[in-house]
Each structure stands twice: as C-alpha cells, then as structure tokens.
C-alpha cells in the first residue's frame, strides 16, 4: 500500500437532507467499502482479503403465473404506474423497478451497468434483450430501499420463452433478499412451471420465500377462497421439497375503488412488513459485517507486522551466523599458515616481523607449531590445500547461512499502521454512530 489513509468526507449534504435514516446508513456503509482511495474493498485487496461491498437496497424477486398480480403489486407499493398490467402476458422479460432522482427507463446493457453484481445474467442467452429497468422518483413506503425484480408470467404448455426462464429465475433467487410467490386463485395457480421453480428455489432459500394468494377479492366467497387455498397448499405439499407443517399463505389484493367494500381479508400489509423486516435485518447485518471486516483487516495488519518482526529477527540471526562462519573461514587458514611458517621458516619470519613478535606468536601457537612439525614434509602441500578447501567451504556456508528475506520498509510499516488506525478508529467509530442512529430511530418509531 502507499499513500496516507485519510478519513472519508461526509456524504453529499443535499442527498442527506432528503434520505431516511435507514437509507443513509446503507449508503454510508456502501461508501465505506467502495471509496476509491480508502475503501475497505481496496484496502482488503492490498492485504489479500477479498471483500464485497454491501448493497444499498434489498432485492425483492416476484414470481408467479401470468396475471397473478405481480406488476399490480409493484404499482401499488410504489404508488405509481411503472409496470403494465392486464390479463395478457404483459411481462415477458425481467424488469428491475428501483428509485432514483428522475423517472427513466433503461435497457439491458444500461441495467447491468447500474447493477454490476447482476452481470453474470449476460451469460444466459437471450436475457440481455429482455432486461429493463424502470426508475421511479417515488418515496412511498420503503421503496427508496427496495429494488423489485418483476419476472415473466409463468405458463405451461407450448409457451416458448426467448431465454431459459427457469435458470434465470433460479440465478436471480440466489441474489434476492426476499422471494414473493403470487398464486392467482382464478388463473393458473397450479402452473407446474411455477411449482417446479418454487421447489428448486426452496431447496436453497426456504427462509427467503413468502407465499401469497393474490387477487383474493376476485376468488368469490370465503368458502371459495378457502377451497382454492387448500388446493394450492395440497399441491405444494405434494412436492418433497415443499412439504412442511403450518403452511402460511396470506390472502392479498391491491386495494382500489372496485373492491373498496370487499369483505375479503386483505393481508397486503403483511407483505410490507416482510419488506420492512428484511430491510431492518439487512441494516443490522451490514453494520455487523462492517465491524467484522474492520477486525479482519486489523488482524491481517497485525499479522503482517508480527511476521515482519519475526523475519527481521531471523535476518539478524542469519547475518550473525554468516559473520561467524566468514571469520572462521578467513582466520582459520591464516592461523594455520602462520603456525606453519613459525615451525618451518622461523628466521625468515623474524626478519620480516621482528624477533619479539615471532617469539610471542610461538608462545601462543606452540601446540599448533608442534603439530606442523609432526607432519611429514611430503604431505605438507596436501595439508595446505586441505586447509584452503576447508576455508572455501566455510565461506560458502557463511554465504548460504547469511541469506535474508525481504522485510517491510519503514514507509510500508507506517502505511499499515495507518490502515489499522483508520479501520479501528475512523471506520468502527462511524459504524457505532450509524448503529446509534438506527437504534434511536427504531426506539422513536416504537414510541410513536
């Protein structure tokens, strides 16, 4: 890493003035990850840690047979006519419905630029041409924190889709936070394609799936609704992956002037509560994950610094070993050569070094000099060669044992310490502030 880690600046004040507390929290958390200079994603990459930025909104996937009321529900929730509705198969592709600053419609490529985490959809042949996004300025309910994914109406028989609708919905189900399954009591509620897809999704995401009997106001009397509901539940329970006790299927319908006086129990608010509950759970999960990622980064930094400290000590020991072997490799042959000269060329050595020095050397090197005298003259050259080879071996050992590994520079250590202080101080402090705001809001809403 390079460069000093600086604290992030606050979000755009104009946006902050119009967004809710929950919206602000998710956006702030998202920004803490994707900031180009000090984002946790970038910091994690520099430490070999792969992090994913949390999404700013939850994703709600709606599936069901055609004319099950999926698009009508979205229009009701948004309180704007963003999706076409009718008895025909209106939704032939996937439509993302999300909030934004201006009303706009996007095609497939633009949609994947807006939602890069959905990029793998491009690998399914034909989907990109039937992928659109509707951006609405609505602030109704919790829409600013939700992205709805409206799916094609599912039918059996000879109906051909321009892409593999089963695989597409299954893939989207992996990324969705909630999966709403709408059963139309007067249409093809028992569509086998719908049941097959639901069973496949239930294998991995049972906790995310919610079943609703839509258009309940059009099902006739209460006895008729109960009969239709029992039929659907029985059909679902025939599937091994869907057979469970206490099957919950609220009856819902979109309120309008035509059904204002309907006696049918409308539990559509339960859908809103499911969305709100998921949003709250996502916020808590995001904040907890933020703290966890900060701790992971701090631990990696500590680990790098600890390993660097250990390597520095190991390098020092290697240098000391190398120095010792080098000294022995150089001094040993010199010592033995001096002893040899004393024992064989005493007068010559005295004339060069002086008598007193030679006498002193003789005293200390006497035992070695006697050893040289015992070596036959015919073997003297061999001994000298052996000493030189030993010296070379010791010098080679010195070179090998003094090898060191690279360690962090002072700048690198300073940068790591700045990263640790940033995530443990600035980011975790920001997380605590956001959590307090979330809890204060929740308490305030509870007291109202």
């Amino acid at each position: 890493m390079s460069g000093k880690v600086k604290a992030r600046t606050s979000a755009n004040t104009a946006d902050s003035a119009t967004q809710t507390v929950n919206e602000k929290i998710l956006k702030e958390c998202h920004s803490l990850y994707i900031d180009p200079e000090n984002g946790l994603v970038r910091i994690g990459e520099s430490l070999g840690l792969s992090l994913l930025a949390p999404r700013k909104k939850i994703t709600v996937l709606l599936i069901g047979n055609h004319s099950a009321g999926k698009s009508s529900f979205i229009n009701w929730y948004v309180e704007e006519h963003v999706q076409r509705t009718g008895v025909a198969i209106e939704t032939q592709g996937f439509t993302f419905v999300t909030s934004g600053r201006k009303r706009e419609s996007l095609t497939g490529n633009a949609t994947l630029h807006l939602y890069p985490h959905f990029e793998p959809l491009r690998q399914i042949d034909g989907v990109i041409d039937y992928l659109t996004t509707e951006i609405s300025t609505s602030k109704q309910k919790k829409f600013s924190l939700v992205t709805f994914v409206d799916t094609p109406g599912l039918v059996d028989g000879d109906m051909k889709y321009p892409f593999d609708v089963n695989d597409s919905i299954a893939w989207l189900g992996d990324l969705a936070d909630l999966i709403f399954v709408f059963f139309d009591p007067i249409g093809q509620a028992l569509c086998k394609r719908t049941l097959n897809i639901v069973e496949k999704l239930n294998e991995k995401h049972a906790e995310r799936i919610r079943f609703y009997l839509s258009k309940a106001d059009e099902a006739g009397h209460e006895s008729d609704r109960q009969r239709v509901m029992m039929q659907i539940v029985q059909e679902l329970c025939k599937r091994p992956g869907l057979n469970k006790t206490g099957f919950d299927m609220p009856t819902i319908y979109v309120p309008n002037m035509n059904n204002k006086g309907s006696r049918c129990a409308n539990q559509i608010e339960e859908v809103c509560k499911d969305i709100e509950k998921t949003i709250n759970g996502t916020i808590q999960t995001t904040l907890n994950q933020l703290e966890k990622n900060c701790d992971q980064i701090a631990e990696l930094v500590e680990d790098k610094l600890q390993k660097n400290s250990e390597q520095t000590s190991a390098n020092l020991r290697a240098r000391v070993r190398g120095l010792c072997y080098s000294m022995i490799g150089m001094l040993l042959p010199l010592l033995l050569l001096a002893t040899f000269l004393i024992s064989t060329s005493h007068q010559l050595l005295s004339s060069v070094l002086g008598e007193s020095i030679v006498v002193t050397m003789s005293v200390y090197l006497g035992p070695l000099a006697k050893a040289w005298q015992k070596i036959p003259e015919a073997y003297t050259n061999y001994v000298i060669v052996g000493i030189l080879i030993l010296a070379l071996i010791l010098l080679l050992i010195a070179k090998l044992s003094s090898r060191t590994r690279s360690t962090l520079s002072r700048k690198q250590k300073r940068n790591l310490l700045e990263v640790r202080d940033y995530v443990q101080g600035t980011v975790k402090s920001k997380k605590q502030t956001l959590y307090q705001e979330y809890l204060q809001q929740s308490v305030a809403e509870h007291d109202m």
Side-chain angles (χ1 to χ4, degrees), residues 52 64 86 102 142 157 160 165 192 202 214 239 255 300 342 347 359 364 377 387 402:
L52 293 175
K102 66 177 182 178
K142 302 292 183 180
K160 292 185 178 180
V165 68
K192 289 184 179 179
N202 191 73
S214 60
R239 304 295 181 107
L300 284 174
I342 289 173
Q347 293 182 351
V359 170
Y364 288 103
E377 187 175 349
I387 292 173
S402 63

mmCIF file of all heavy atoms in Angstrom, residues 52 64 86 102 142 157 160 165 192 202 214 239 255 300 342 347 359 364 377 387 402:
data_model
loop_
_atom_site.group_PDB
_atom_site.id
_atom_site.type_symbol
_atom_site.label_atom_id
_atom_site.label_comp_id
_atom_site.label_asym_id
_atom_site.label_seq_id
_atom_site.Cartn_x
_atom_site.Cartn_y
_atom_site.Cartn_z
ATOM 1 N N LEU A 52 -16.683 -7.841 -0.298
ATOM 2 C CA LEU A 52 -17.772 -7.412 -1.165
ATOM 3 C C LEU A 52 -18.479 -6.228 -0.530
ATOM 4 O O LEU A 52 -18.799 -6.253 0.663
ATOM 5 C CB LEU A 52 -18.775 -8.554 -1.386
ATOM 6 C CG LEU A 52 -18.286 -9.757 -2.188
ATOM 7 C CD1 LEU A 52 -19.364 -10.840 -2.211
ATOM 8 C CD2 LEU A 52 -17.909 -9.353 -3.599
ATOM 9 N N GLY A 64 -44.530 -15.930 -10.284
ATOM 10 C CA GLY A 64 -45.884 -16.469 -10.281
ATOM 11 C C GLY A 64 -46.381 -16.646 -11.705
ATOM 12 O O GLY A 64 -45.730 -16.236 -12.665
ATOM 13 N N GLY A 86 -52.549 -6.252 -16.832
ATOM 14 C CA GLY A 86 -53.668 -6.690 -17.658
ATOM 15 C C GLY A 86 -53.770 -8.195 -17.668
ATOM 16 O O GLY A 86 -52.988 -8.904 -17.018
ATOM 17 N N LYS A 102 -34.712 10.718 -11.074
ATOM 18 C CA LYS A 102 -35.633 11.102 -12.149
ATOM 19 C C LYS A 102 -36.230 9.865 -12.791
ATOM 20 O O LYS A 102 -35.641 8.782 -12.768
ATOM 21 C CB LYS A 102 -34.923 11.955 -13.198
ATOM 22 C CG LYS A 102 -33.837 11.231 -13.977
ATOM 23 C CD LYS A 102 -33.254 12.143 -15.048
ATOM 24 C CE LYS A 102 -32.199 11.413 -15.879
ATOM 25 N NZ LYS A 102 -31.657 12.254 -16.960
ATOM 26 N N LYS A 142 -41.324 2.007 1.795
ATOM 27 C CA LYS A 142 -39.872 1.836 1.920
ATOM 28 C C LYS A 142 -39.213 1.676 0.556
ATOM 29 O O LYS A 142 -38.143 1.076 0.434
ATOM 30 C CB LYS A 142 -39.564 0.599 2.782
ATOM 31 C CG LYS A 142 -40.158 0.618 4.170
ATOM 32 C CD LYS A 142 -39.517 1.691 5.045
ATOM 33 C CE LYS A 142 -40.083 1.651 6.450
ATOM 34 N NZ LYS A 142 -39.483 2.683 7.323
ATOM 35 N N GLY A 157 -47.503 -25.654 -21.063
ATOM 36 C CA GLY A 157 -47.899 -25.898 -22.448
ATOM 37 C C GLY A 157 -46.843 -25.508 -23.450
ATOM 38 O O GLY A 157 -45.638 -25.625 -23.214
ATOM 39 N N LYS A 160 -43.300 -20.591 -25.397
ATOM 40 C CA LYS A 160 -41.848 -20.579 -25.533
ATOM 41 C C LYS A 160 -41.294 -19.229 -25.110
ATOM 42 O O LYS A 160 -41.788 -18.183 -25.547
ATOM 43 C CB LYS A 160 -41.435 -20.880 -26.972
ATOM 44 C CG LYS A 160 -41.732 -22.309 -27.406
ATOM 45 C CD LYS A 160 -41.191 -22.582 -28.804
ATOM 46 C CE LYS A 160 -41.449 -24.016 -29.214
ATOM 47 N NZ LYS A 160 -40.925 -24.316 -30.577
ATOM 48 N N VAL A 165 -35.989 -19.359 -18.890
ATOM 49 C CA VAL A 165 -36.622 -18.641 -17.791
ATOM 50 C C VAL A 165 -36.392 -19.339 -16.455
ATOM 51 O O VAL A 165 -36.231 -18.682 -15.410
ATOM 52 C CB VAL A 165 -38.134 -18.453 -18.068
ATOM 53 C CG1 VAL A 165 -38.871 -19.780 -18.029
ATOM 54 C CG2 VAL A 165 -38.752 -17.477 -17.082
ATOM 55 N N LYS A 192 -47.441 -25.901 -13.358
ATOM 56 C CA LYS A 192 -46.351 -26.795 -12.988
ATOM 57 C C LYS A 192 -44.998 -26.101 -13.074
ATOM 58 O O LYS A 192 -44.090 -26.375 -12.291
ATOM 59 C CB LYS A 192 -46.368 -28.029 -13.886
ATOM 60 C CG LYS A 192 -47.538 -28.963 -13.611
ATOM 61 C CD LYS A 192 -47.451 -30.219 -14.470
ATOM 62 C CE LYS A 192 -48.612 -31.160 -14.171
ATOM 63 N NZ LYS A 192 -48.563 -32.394 -15.007
ATOM 64 N N ASN A 202 -36.701 -23.285 -3.175
ATOM 65 C CA ASN A 202 -36.902 -23.645 -1.772
ATOM 66 C C ASN A 202 -35.772 -24.513 -1.235
ATOM 67 O O ASN A 202 -35.506 -24.526 -0.039
ATOM 68 C CB ASN A 202 -38.239 -24.365 -1.618
ATOM 69 C CG ASN A 202 -38.639 -24.521 -0.167
ATOM 70 O OD1 ASN A 202 -39.037 -23.562 0.491
ATOM 71 N ND2 ASN A 202 -38.530 -25.740 0.351
ATOM 72 N N SER A 214 -52.823 -14.157 -4.216
ATOM 73 C CA SER A 214 -53.099 -12.811 -4.725
ATOM 74 C C SER A 214 -54.493 -12.732 -5.325
ATOM 75 O O SER A 214 -55.172 -13.752 -5.528
ATOM 76 C CB SER A 214 -52.049 -12.443 -5.777
ATOM 77 O OG SER A 214 -52.094 -13.368 -6.856
ATOM 78 N N ARG A 239 -45.008 -31.807 -3.248
ATOM 79 C CA ARG A 239 -43.594 -31.733 -3.626
ATOM 80 C C ARG A 239 -42.736 -32.002 -2.388
ATOM 81 O O ARG A 239 -42.900 -31.325 -1.354
ATOM 82 C CB ARG A 239 -43.252 -30.340 -4.176
ATOM 83 C CG ARG A 239 -44.116 -29.904 -5.361
ATOM 84 C CD ARG A 239 -43.874 -30.788 -6.559
ATOM 85 N NE ARG A 239 -44.648 -30.400 -7.715
ATOM 86 C CZ ARG A 239 -44.137 -29.810 -8.794
ATOM 87 N NH1 ARG A 239 -42.838 -29.548 -8.849
ATOM 88 N NH2 ARG A 239 -44.913 -29.506 -9.825
ATOM 89 N N PRO A 255 -55.746 -2.837 -3.141
ATOM 90 C CA PRO A 255 -56.958 -2.041 -2.865
ATOM 91 C C PRO A 255 -57.230 -1.057 -4.006
ATOM 92 O O PRO A 255 -56.324 -0.403 -4.512
ATOM 93 C CB PRO A 255 -56.610 -1.300 -1.578
ATOM 94 C CG PRO A 255 -55.437 -2.023 -0.997
ATOM 95 C CD PRO A 255 -54.689 -2.581 -2.159
ATOM 96 N N LEU A 300 -5.162 -8.817 9.960
ATOM 97 C CA LEU A 300 -4.190 -9.039 8.886
ATOM 98 C C LEU A 300 -3.000 -8.093 9.012
ATOM 99 O O LEU A 300 -1.852 -8.485 8.773
ATOM 100 C CB LEU A 300 -4.874 -8.849 7.526
ATOM 101 C CG LEU A 300 -5.772 -9.999 7.058
ATOM 102 C CD1 LEU A 300 -6.500 -9.607 5.778
ATOM 103 C CD2 LEU A 300 -4.945 -11.268 6.813
ATOM 104 N N ILE A 342 55.968 -20.395 11.284
ATOM 105 C CA ILE A 342 56.764 -20.332 12.524
ATOM 106 C C ILE A 342 57.575 -21.609 12.701
ATOM 107 O O ILE A 342 58.751 -21.573 13.109
ATOM 108 C CB ILE A 342 55.837 -20.097 13.742
ATOM 109 C CG1 ILE A 342 55.288 -18.665 13.699
ATOM 110 C CG2 ILE A 342 56.586 -20.338 15.057
ATOM 111 C CD1 ILE A 342 54.253 -18.389 14.756
ATOM 112 N N GLN A 347 63.493 -18.084 11.091
ATOM 113 C CA GLN A 347 64.410 -16.970 10.852
ATOM 114 C C GLN A 347 63.864 -15.994 9.811
ATOM 115 O O GLN A 347 63.970 -14.779 9.967
ATOM 116 C CB GLN A 347 65.771 -17.514 10.402
ATOM 117 C CG GLN A 347 66.501 -18.303 11.489
ATOM 118 C CD GLN A 347 67.858 -18.794 11.027
ATOM 119 O OE1 GLN A 347 68.207 -18.703 9.834
ATOM 120 N NE2 GLN A 347 68.657 -19.331 11.968
ATOM 121 N N VAL A 359 58.443 -14.447 18.690
ATOM 122 C CA VAL A 359 58.510 -15.188 19.968
ATOM 123 C C VAL A 359 57.133 -15.249 20.617
ATOM 124 O O VAL A 359 56.708 -16.293 21.132
ATOM 125 C CB VAL A 359 59.544 -14.524 20.914
ATOM 126 C CG1 VAL A 359 59.459 -15.114 22.320
ATOM 127 C CG2 VAL A 359 60.943 -14.688 20.357
ATOM 128 N N TYR A 364 51.997 -18.574 21.869
ATOM 129 C CA TYR A 364 50.549 -18.856 21.752
ATOM 130 C C TYR A 364 50.238 -19.957 20.733
ATOM 131 O O TYR A 364 49.247 -20.663 20.867
ATOM 132 C CB TYR A 364 49.807 -17.576 21.363
ATOM 133 C CG TYR A 364 49.734 -16.566 22.490
ATOM 134 C CD1 TYR A 364 50.565 -15.452 22.504
ATOM 135 C CD2 TYR A 364 48.846 -16.742 23.547
ATOM 136 C CE1 TYR A 364 50.519 -14.539 23.534
ATOM 137 C CE2 TYR A 364 48.791 -15.825 24.582
ATOM 138 C CZ TYR A 364 49.612 -14.723 24.584
ATOM 139 O OH TYR A 364 49.559 -13.825 25.605
ATOM 140 N N GLU A 377 57.141 -33.977 5.583
ATOM 141 C CA GLU A 377 57.309 -32.906 4.585
ATOM 142 C C GLU A 377 56.616 -33.235 3.266
ATOM 143 O O GLU A 377 56.128 -32.355 2.561
ATOM 144 C CB GLU A 377 58.814 -32.698 4.347
ATOM 145 C CG GLU A 377 59.101 -31.503 3.453
ATOM 146 C CD GLU A 377 60.593 -31.236 3.312
ATOM 147 O OE1 GLU A 377 61.380 -31.852 4.062
ATOM 148 O OE2 GLU A 377 60.944 -30.403 2.450
ATOM 149 N N ILE A 387 43.468 -27.219 3.964
ATOM 150 C CA ILE A 387 43.078 -26.055 4.765
ATOM 151 C C ILE A 387 42.380 -25.011 3.895
ATOM 152 O O ILE A 387 41.362 -24.416 4.283
ATOM 153 C CB ILE A 387 44.321 -25.455 5.454
ATOM 154 C CG1 ILE A 387 44.850 -26.424 6.521
ATOM 155 C CG2 ILE A 387 43.975 -24.105 6.076
ATOM 156 C CD1 ILE A 387 46.171 -25.987 7.132
ATOM 157 N N SER A 402 23.798 -16.755 5.643
ATOM 158 C CA SER A 402 23.526 -15.326 5.858
ATOM 159 C C SER A 402 22.443 -14.796 4.922
ATOM 160 O O SER A 402 22.208 -13.587 4.865
ATOM 161 C CB SER A 402 24.816 -14.517 5.667
ATOM 162 O OG SER A 402 25.288 -14.642 4.332
#
